[in-house]
């Protein structure tokens, strides 16, 4: 276990030089204090969890102090936002403090979001508010606990610094961790500004540090792009299987590692709704729940365009062609598991689609349905779940098909079925209203609810004593919360 001053830095991105990022110091927050810390994320840095409670922790992650070896940099990138190209974006309110390596030799970027203005702030104030920092913290750690690749969050630091959004709020910082903060938009920036040398340096950097196995392939850059396609197909299959809606899938929010990245007005589905739009500024529904699948491919095409100096168009097209079949195979595999099935049959896709249509028509809770389906034998479970459906004849027909399918699937005890299904069907997810309750308490100075919710969500598959209230459908007020895009 390490103390805070024992972290080892190796700032590989900073060494790429000033064409890639700009040196900027964090702007401190007034009266910084710990809101919440993730022990699991601290363990990735070999940090003793007790250090989170020390004043120096809040000073470091509230922008007051820096390690001597840290080299805070604002990265430059661009990207396609809602389908249109924005020539320059960049870290407008976040800084890459440096890269830390742990005892296992893993490198972690430490990125401080809400750290003040940078050359890329455009019209913004460089700040993040407490509300959005808590949401990012809870979501990234909850996704990780669900087994969905995501950036991580070490802590949230609150403050007295006033920040103006629709109303006056308080500034906060979230310390985000990832193996890389390089986005699709980094490649787009150097492509569209016609800087082939820097673009080649960036590609070498990503290949060497993050896709070293692709070096062995005859065409390393193509192998790397294929890998990025595969990881994104797998990631989006997980989002769809678990009802996660990202909300702002602009190419500057897409990680070259295929992890969930940059949290804004995201949501987990309560009732199943394929057309759900979590970002209420997204009037066209470009980033609606079901559109995430084709948008994933669209974003990969935008990256492919930026890679045309390195890879032939035909090869890029062929690699892009892998996306949809891979997505479908991964998605179907996850949904089979959610249904408790251990074998594959041709008609399974149809079984899933019929169920989702019935859930959509009746507004059935997406998470609880699957959890309850594994509580008891298939026959007893469907009999109990029947009440949630409006189209009873439709549900009965589906239930008959499902029971027959389960009977053909294999011979296992009820205990085995329950254990297997509960291991893939969470009881607790980050419902918007739960986040909202925790935020309201935190805004009035009580951080206990954020901490409790984080704790519950860190074991989403395990029933936890006394935590029934976290496994409920939302109350009426919590059903259609409008999450502001201003964060
Ligand atoms: P996002 O919507 O958070 O992905 O941000 C899109 C772009 O706007 C990025 O370049 C951000 O750094 C920048 N940005 C967002 N909020 C702010 C802010 N409050 N101050 C400065 N830049 C911001
Ligand atoms: Mg962003």
């Amino acid at each position: 276990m390490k103390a805070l001053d024992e972290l080892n830095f190796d700032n590989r991105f900073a060494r790429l030089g000033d064409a890639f990022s700009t040196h900027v110091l964090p702007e401190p927050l007034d009266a910084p204090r710990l809101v919440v810390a993730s022990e699991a994320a601290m363990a990735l840095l070999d940090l003793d969890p007790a250090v989170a409670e020390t004043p120096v922790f809040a000073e470091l992650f509230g922008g007051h102090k820096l390690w001597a070896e840290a080299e805070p940099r604002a990265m430059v990138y661009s990207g396609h936002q809602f389908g249109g190209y924005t020539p320059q974006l960049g870290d407008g309110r976040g800084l890459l403090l440096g890269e830390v390596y742990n005892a296992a030799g893993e490198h972690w970027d430490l990125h401080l979001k809400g750290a003040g203005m940078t050359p890329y702030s455009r019209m913004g104030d460089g700040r993040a508010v407490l509300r959005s920092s808590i949401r990012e913290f809870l979501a990234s750690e909850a996704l990780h606990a669900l087994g969905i690749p995501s950036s991580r969050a070490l802590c949230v630091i609150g403050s007295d610094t006033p920040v103006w959004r629709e109303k006056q709020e308080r500034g906060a910082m979230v310390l985000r961790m990832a193996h890389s903060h390089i986005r699709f938009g980094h490649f787009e920036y150097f492509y569209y500004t016609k800087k082939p040398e820097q673009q080649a340096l960036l590609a070498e950097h990503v290949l060497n540090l993050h896709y070293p196995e692709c070096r062995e392939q005859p065409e390393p850059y193509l192998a790397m792009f294929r890998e990025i396609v595969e990881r994104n197909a797998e990631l989006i299959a997980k989002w769809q299987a678990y009802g996660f809606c990202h909300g702002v899938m602009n190419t500057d929010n897409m990680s070259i590692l295929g992890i969930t990245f940059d949290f804004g007005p995201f949501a987990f589905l309560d009732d199943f709704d394929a057309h759900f739009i979590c970002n209420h500024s997204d009037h066209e529904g470009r980033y609606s729940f079901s559109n995430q699948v084709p948008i994933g491919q669209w974003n990969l095409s935008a990256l492919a365009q930026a890679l045309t100096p390195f890879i032939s168009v035909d090869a890029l097209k062929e690699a892009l062609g892998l996306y949809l079949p891979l997505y479908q195979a991964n998605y179907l595999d996850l949904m089979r598991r959610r249904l408790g099935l251990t074998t594959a049959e041709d008609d399974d896709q149809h079984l899933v689609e019929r169920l989702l249509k019935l859930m959509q028509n009746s507004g059935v809770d997406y998470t609880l349905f699957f959890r309850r389906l594994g509580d008891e034998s298939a026959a007893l479970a469907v009999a109990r779940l029947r009440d949630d459906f409006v189209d009873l004849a439709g549900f009965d027909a589906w239930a008959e098909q499902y029971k027959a399918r389960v009977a053909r699937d294999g011979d296992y005890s009820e205990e085995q079925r329950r254990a297997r299904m509960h291991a893939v069907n969470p009881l607790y997810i980050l419902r918007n209203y739960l986040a909202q309750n925790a935020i309201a308490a935190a805004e009035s100075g009580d951080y206990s609810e954020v901490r409790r919710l984080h704790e519950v969500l860190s074991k989403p598959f395990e029933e936890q004593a006394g935590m029934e209230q976290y496994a409920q459908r939302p109350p009426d007020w919590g059903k259609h919360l409008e999450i502001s895009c201003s964060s």
Side-chain angles (χ1 to χ4, degrees), residues 77 81 88-94 113 116-118 120-128 163 165 183 248 250 252-253 262-265 485 487:
Y77 52 82
Q81 299 185 302
Q88 194 186 294
L89 292 161
D91 290 333
R93 54 161 164 179
K113 188 164 174 179
M117 301 239 270
T118 78
Y120 314 112
S121 296
R122 297 182 295 161
M123 308 302 276
D125 58 6
R127 289 302 190 193
V163 173
R165 293 293 180 259
R183 307 146 189 260
V248 200
N250 294 334
D252 55 299
N253 293 338
D262 234 345
F263 295 84
C485 215
S487 58

Side-chain angles (χ1 to χ4, degrees), residues 263-326:
F263 295 84
F266 69 85
F268 281 89
L269 297 181
D270 290 306
D271 295 354
F272 181 78
D273 179 4
H275 315 300
F276 184 66
I277 302 167
C278 62
N279 179 352
H280 77 121
S281 321
D282 180 8
H283 307 294
E284 319 261 281
R286 179 180 174 88
Y287 299 138
S288 73
F289 180 63
S290 56
N291 262 2
Q292 296 190 127
V293 181
I295 287 292
Q297 180 155 23
W298 195 96
N299 288 343
L300 286 162
S301 321
L303 175 63
Q305 179 65 46
L307 294 177
T308 48
F310 307 116
I311 309 168
S312 78
V313 170
D314 285 345
L316 284 165
K317 277 193 185 151
E318 202 184 311
L320 279 171
L322 299 171
Y323 173 82
L324 211 53
L326 257 174

